[in-house]
Amino acid sequence: MSMEQILSEVRTYDGLLELAPTRGSQHPEISWGDYFFYYAPDGQVPRNRQPYATIVTKDYPGDAESRLDAADRWRLNIHVGAQAFAELLGSPPEEIDESEVDYSVTDTFLPHPLYGASGWVCIVNPGNETLERALAAVYSAHLADRRRVERRQGRGEDLPSE
């Protein structure tokens, strides 16, 4: 599956805000070429919450086990929560022995190398084995982010947008 296929699907989501930093933007150089997805129908990058999914195209400091600096490698990261994490990986986050995980394997659901304990999964170069479940997981994450935003708005919480 190509990154463009995932981007094409995600871009159809109602209320999606896609942050895609580019060279010369106000965002740190390390983020250039990567993608960050939020539910933000107002079009403003949220300041009080993380994206629900990302696509990263390179190694970050402290996060090089997926070997993304090699040619044609990228990683889809999705916040799925503990229950979906267990369904996708066969064990809840707290039962994963990270020392036994090969984070460089492609087209396989893995715990996120840094945020697995918080219910994040990842897939290096998603392909035929993970396509349908990956897209379903991203859509579920989008809906969960939407529910969180709507709950906060229903409670009258101020959602900073700057």
Side-chain angles (χ1 to χ4, degrees):
M1 159 187 257
S2 76
M3 185 186 315
E4 281 304 317
Q5 288 174 295
I6 292 174
L7 291 170
S8 179
E9 176 70 22
V10 173
R11 288 171 177 156
T12 68
Y13 298 171
D14 180 54
L16 171 74
L17 174 65
E18 173 188 328
L19 177 63
T22 58
R23 177 180 300 279
S25 70
Q26 65 189 23
H27 305 286
E29 183 176 346
I30 188 78
S31 68
W32 297 352
D34 295 339
Y35 300 86
F36 305 84
F37 305 105
Y38 302 87
Y39 175 76
D42 63 0
Q44 300 297 312
V45 176
R47 297 182 55 83
N48 62 341
R49 66 183 201 282
Q50 297 296 314
Y52 62 79
T54 66
I55 293 176
V56 295
T57 58
K58 68 196 79 58
D59 292 337
Y60 276 67
D63 182 9
E65 293 182 70
S66 296
R67 301 183 191 153
L68 301 178
D69 282 346
D72 299 320
R73 291 179 64 90
W74 53 280
R75 187 178 72 207
L76 173 63
N77 305 299
I78 315 163
H79 182 241
V80 296
Q83 181 178 342
F85 182 103
E87 291 169 5
L88 292 166
L89 276 72
S91 299
E94 62 273 8
E95 291 181 15
I96 299 291
D97 182 353
E98 294 180 14
S99 69
E100 295 183 9
V101 177
D102 179 356
Y103 292 102
S104 68
V105 174
T106 61
D107 199 19
T108 302
F109 278 92
L110 301 167
H112 187 282
L114 300 178
Y115 307 114
S118 298
W120 281 78
V121 298
C122 66
I123 310 156
V124 176
N125 290 45
N128 292 335
E129 295 298 316
T130 56
L131 169 61
E132 288 183 41
R133 290 181 297 153
L135 290 175
V138 173
Y139 187 64
S140 291
H142 176 79
L143 294 177
D145 200 36
R146 178 181 174 171
R147 285 189 298 275
R148 283 188 293 274
V149 168
E150 290 173 348
R151 246 189 340 263
R152 285 181 173 181
Q153 289 173 337
R155 290 191 308 247
E157 292 181 29
D158 185 25
L159 295 176
S161 60
E162 294 180 9

